[in-house]
C-alpha cells in the first residue's frame, strides 16, 4: 500500500474510537427482506469514519510540519513583493507536498505498528490509537522548545512532567504549534533581510533623484526576482525547510 493510503488509514485511527473496539465490525450488513430481495444497513463504523475525516485539517495543521512551511512560503512571497504570485493554491499545494515528504517516516512508523496490526485483528482500536500516537509524539517533541512546554505546563498547572513519562497531548499540541510559529517567523525574518536591503537601496536612489512619486516597489521588484533566481532561491528555501525537521 502506498503511503497516501497509509496516511488516510492513520488519520482515521487518530480519532477516539475506543467505543468501536471490535476489529471485525462490518461496514455494511446484508439482510434478506423476506420477499426474495436484500436490504443493506450501514453500521455505526461508517459514521465514525466519516466523522474522522472532518478532523484531517486540524490534525494536518497541529501535528505535522505544515504550519511552519506555509508560513515561511507566505513570508517569502511578501518579501518578493509579487502580490498573489504564487497563488494561495500553489503555496498550499507545495506545503502539502513538502509535509508529506517530511512526515513519511512518521506515517510509515505509525502504519507498521498500529494500522497493520489493527487491520489484522491483533489489537483493538484503543491500542491502535495509542500506538499510532507515539511516532507523532516523538516528532512533535523534537520540534518543541522546552520553554514552550514549561509555559503551558505552568498555565495548565501540570506538575508531573517527569523524565521518561509521555507528555500529554493536551499540553504538547499547543506547545508544538507555538514553537512552530516561532521557528517560522525566525526563518521568515532571515528571508526578509536581503529583500529589505534592496528596497532601501532603491528607495534611497529614487529620493536622491527626486523621483518621489514613483513607487520603489515597482523598481525593486525586477531586482528582487533576479536575485532570487540567481541564487536558486526556491532550492535554498525548500531545502532549508525540509532539513530543519531532520536536524
Amino acid at each position: 500500500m502506498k503511503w497516501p493510503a497509509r496516511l488516510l488509514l492513520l488519520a482515521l485511527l487518530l480519532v477516539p474510537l475506543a467505543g468501536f473496539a471490535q476489529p471485525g465490525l462490518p461496514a455494511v450488513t446484508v439482510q434478506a427482506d423476506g420477499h426474495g430481495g436484500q436490504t443493506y444497513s450501514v453500521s455505526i463504523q461508517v459514521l465514525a469514519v466519516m466523522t474522522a475525516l472532518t478532523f484531517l485539517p486540524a490534525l494536518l495543521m497541529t501535528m505535522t510540519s505544515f504550519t511552519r512551511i506555509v508560513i515561511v512560503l507566505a513570508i517569502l512571497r511578501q518579501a518578493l513583493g509579487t502580490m498573489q504570485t504564487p497563488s494561495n493554491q500553489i503555496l498550499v499545494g507545495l506545503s502539502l507536498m513538502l509535509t508529506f515528504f517530511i512526515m513519511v517516516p512518521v506515517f510509515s512508523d505509525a502504519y507498521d505498528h498500529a494500522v497493520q496490526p489493527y487491520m489484522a485483528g491483533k489489537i483493538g482500536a484503543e491500542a491502535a490509537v495509542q500506538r499510532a500516537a507515539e511516532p507523532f509524539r516523538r516528532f512533535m517533541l523534537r520540534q518543541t522548545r522546552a520553554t514552550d512546554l514549561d509555559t503551558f505546563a505552568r498555565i495548565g498547572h501540570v506538575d508531573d512532567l517527569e523524565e521518561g513519562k509521555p507528555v500529554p497531548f493536551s499540553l504538547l499540541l499547543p506547545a508544538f504549534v507555538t514553537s512552530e510559529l516561532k521557528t517560522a517567523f525566525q526563518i521568515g525574518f532571515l528571508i526578509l533581510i536581503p529583500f529589505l536591503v534592496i528596497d532601501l537601496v532603491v528607495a534611497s536612489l529614487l529620493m536622491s533623484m527626486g523621483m518621489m512619486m514613483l513607487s520603489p516597489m515597482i523598481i525593486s521588484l525586477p531586482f528582487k526576482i533576479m536575485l532570487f533566481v540567481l541564487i536558486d532561491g526556491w532550492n535554498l528555501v525548500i531545502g532549508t525547510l525540509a532539513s530543519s525537521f531532520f536536524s
Side-chain angles (χ1 to χ4, degrees), residues 168-185:
F169 272 97
S170 60
L171 176 62
L172 181 58
L173 282 175
F176 172 73
V177 174
T178 304
S179 293
E180 287 296 282
L181 291 174
K182 187 182 300 183
T183 303
F185 276 93

Side-chain angles (χ1 to χ4, degrees), residues 31-71:
Q31 297 176 344
D33 59 4
H35 302 284
Q38 293 178 333
T39 59
Y40 299 86
S41 60
V42 180
S43 72
I44 194 65
Q45 187 176 12
V46 176
L47 177 61
V49 170
M50 298 303 296
T51 304
L53 291 176
T54 63
F55 285 87
L56 283 177
L59 296 177
L60 178 67
M61 291 185 290
T62 58
M63 298 179 64
T64 66
S65 57
F66 179 82
T67 300
R68 183 190 304 184
I69 295 171
V70 74
I71 290 177

